[in-house]
Amino acid sequence: MWGRTPSLRARETVHMVDSLKRPDVEELRPGIKRPAQDTILTPRFYTTDFEEMAKMDISANEEELQAILEEFRTDYNRHHFVRNDDFQQSWDHIDGETRQLFMEFLERSCTAEFSGFLLYKELSRKLKGKSPVLAECFLLMSRDEARHAGFLNKAMADFGLQLDLGFLTESKSYTFFKPKFIFYATYLSEKIGYWRYITIFRHLEAHPEHRIYPIFKFFENWCQDENRHGDFFDAIMKSQPQFLNDWQARLWSRFFLLSVFATMYLNDIQRSGFYASLGLNARDYDIHVIRKTNETAGRVFPLVLNVDHPKFFALMDESAAANLKISEIGRSGAPKAVQILQKLPHIAKIAGNMLRLYLMKPIDTACLEGSVR
Ligand SMILES: [Fe+2]
Ligand SMILES: [Fe+2]
């Protein structure tokens, strides 16, 4: 069964700090947090057509994939994820809303990392003996993601509550994507993950007074794992030019770029207090991460979004404001039916804006040759 590797089971130790429990945290059992409810904006778990992936002929880019496999084998971060003395203290001083937002950040990150672990682990299992290079790459990437998820889960324990990753494996619903879409989605989530981690790291390097918790010191080497994972998906897609060079690829690249960017933007603006606690402006941070990820994606996608269009972030801002209204209504305590009616105009606003963003003329990456590619 997925996720029941010994290394992860060992991390599921129960930690409980009674004084830190908040009444609004739902526990599965003492010290173990019930996973956050699935919404359109929470991290997803994926599954795919393993047969189709096993049949893929990667010979068009095998050399690059082999080189990436060698890098994975080197395992640069073998000794990186070790909890040092910096963690050995009480974190009670991080309290109130900051604590809640921080826990949420850890949970979302842990869930996202763990979802990568599950998918890569299952892919390595299903491709074993059929597509050896890919199978080993997936295995070594699942190793990295297990480390990341485990490290975050231990950080959650510092705040009194962990996730039961075994329970998460069984209780989450899985979204099916054909291999092509798995590649678009995982490529983007790895690259955006890289830019998110490195941007926080660089900011805190310049402003150590905002480093409220030691985990951020680990982000520099950590994000290099994500960067390598992203490069792996870049190389796979290049081995399958049919995934990149038809009109469908153009439509789907736009779709995935927009959904990854909008999900992050709406989520982060809703949690701007967390970024503020690190001395970051959530909006500026997201704009930077989106610009960088979009630029990076131009190395493989046939097009990227025109994030410099004067309406691009204006439409994102309106959508983020509508999303805030939706969550306010959700907290209002009004009857469900009333809430649905109240939410409708805001949902329609977001949907309309997303459509406008999707239809905005993209930038062909062929014309970027020599600049960001
Ligand atoms: Fe990761
Ligand atoms: Fe990754």
Side-chain angles (χ1 to χ4, degrees):
M1 187 180 52
W2 290 8
R4 295 279 171 176
T5 61
S7 61
L8 279 163
R9 289 306 292 177
R11 289 180 182 125
E12 291 166 22
T13 44
V14 176
H15 289 249
M16 177 142 106
V17 184
D18 274 315
S19 61
L20 299 177
K21 281 197 299 177
R22 295 186 334 269
D24 52 332
V25 170
E26 237 195 291
E27 285 179 74
L28 199 58
R29 47 180 199 275
I32 301 296
K33 188 183 175 303
R34 179 174 288 285
Q37 272 199 334
D38 270 343
T39 70
I40 194 160
L41 295 179
T42 44
R44 295 197 165 267
F45 282 21
Y46 297 108
T47 183
T48 190
D49 181 342
F50 299 105
E51 274 306 303
E52 187 193 326
M53 210 177 275
K55 284 191 200 130
M56 263 170 23
D57 174 11
I58 56 161
S59 55
N61 199 22
E62 182 137 21
E63 218 171 296
E64 193 187 351
L65 284 162
Q66 275 289 354
I68 290 171
L69 174 55
E70 279 312 316
E71 285 233 302
F72 288 158
R73 283 177 180 156
T74 309
D75 196 2
Y76 299 100
N77 283 338
R78 181 188 309 248
H79 304 298
H80 182 60
F81 294 96
V82 178
R83 281 165 58 91
N84 54 21
D85 290 346
D86 294 354
F87 290 89
Q88 307 308 317
Q89 64 164 89
S90 158
W91 302 100
D92 292 13
H93 59 278
I94 302 179
D95 54 12
E97 203 195 339
T98 309
R99 189 179 184 90
Q100 186 181 338
L101 289 165
F102 195 64
M103 290 279 301
E104 235 180 73
F105 168 79
L106 293 174
E107 179 177 357
R108 293 180 65 85
S109 307
C110 181
T111 308
E113 298 280 10
F114 188 66
S115 124
F117 161 76
L118 285 180
L119 176 68
Y120 301 159
K121 181 84 188 174
E122 190 63 2
L123 278 164
S124 76
R125 223 166 56 77
K126 292 276 170 56
L127 300 179
K128 205 175 169 192
K130 295 177 183 160
S131 186
V133 174
L134 295 192
E136 191 177 350
C137 283
F138 280 120
L139 180 71
L140 297 177
M141 290 199 299
S142 76
R143 165 204 70 195
D144 296 340
E145 305 300 15
R147 276 179 194 151
H148 302 167
F151 206 66
L152 283 157
N153 209 14
K154 282 193 178 155
M156 286 187 72
D158 286 343
F159 291 85
L161 282 171
Q162 279 188 295
L163 286 178
D164 178 335
L165 298 175
F167 177 79
L168 197 63
T169 309
E170 288 150 26
S171 65
K172 273 281 234 183
S173 54
Y174 289 76
T175 307
F176 176 88
F177 271 157
K178 283 176 74 60
K180 164 161 103 168
F181 302 135
I182 285 282
F183 296 146
Y184 295 157
T186 45
Y187 168 78
L188 283 174
S189 70
E190 296 289 0
K191 287 296 182 185
I192 208 167
Y194 165 76
W195 284 111
R196 286 174 65 80
Y197 285 140
I198 197 67
T199 304
I200 292 178
F201 179 84
R202 298 252 182 269
H203 161 76
L204 293 179
E205 197 179 34
H207 303 279
E209 71 277 13
H210 291 301
R211 198 188 286 127
I212 56 172
Y213 183 69
I215 202 164
F216 303 110
K217 278 191 194 165
F218 290 75
F219 277 12
E220 189 179 30
N221 293 26
W222 183 327
C223 76
Q224 293 308 330
D225 282 342
E226 314 303 8
N227 205 22
R228 280 185 285 271
H229 299 169
D231 288 343
F232 165 76
F233 288 110
D234 176 310
I236 282 212
M237 286 191 277
K238 285 185 179 143
S239 80
Q240 311 296 312
Q242 75 280 11
F243 287 176
L244 296 170
N245 58 14
D246 60 5
W247 61 271
Q248 290 183 28
R250 299 178 61 82
L251 295 182
W252 284 112
S253 311
R254 276 160 89 174
F255 173 81
F256 278 94
L257 283 162
L258 180 60
S259 46
V260 167
F261 295 164
T263 306
M264 177 180 78
Y265 203 85
L266 266 52
N267 265 318
D268 284 353
I269 299 295
Q270 204 177 342
R271 295 170 179 82
S272 53
F274 167 73
Y275 295 92
S277 70
L278 303 183
L280 275 167
N281 175 299
R283 185 174 185 270
D284 295 346
Y285 168 75
D286 271 43
I287 290 177
H288 174 78
V289 170
I290 287 175
R291 282 188 192 287
K292 288 298 191 185
T293 309
N294 196 49
E295 194 178 296
T296 305
R299 292 183 204 150
V300 60
F301 284 178
L303 50 79
V304 291
L305 303 186
N306 183 7
V307 296
D308 291 318
H309 190 292
K311 290 296 282 178
F312 188 90
F313 285 108
L315 288 167
M316 285 280 204
D317 285 332
E318 279 180 25
S319 310
N323 183 49
L324 287 180
K325 292 259 166 57
I326 293 172
S327 42
E328 255 168 47
I329 295 167
R331 287 192 303 266
S332 67
K336 276 276 175 278
V338 176
Q339 285 194 18
I340 292 170
L341 283 176
Q342 289 174 329
K343 284 178 183 176
L344 272 177
H346 305 297
I347 294 170
K349 178 88 201 159
I350 296 176
N353 280 5
M354 289 303 132
L355 187 65
R356 287 174 69 187
L357 283 161
Y358 183 77
L359 295 175
M360 224 174 239
K361 192 174 182 303
I363 297 171
D364 237 297
T365 45
C367 68
L368 299 177
E369 206 78 54
S371 52
V372 298
R373 280 168 78 88

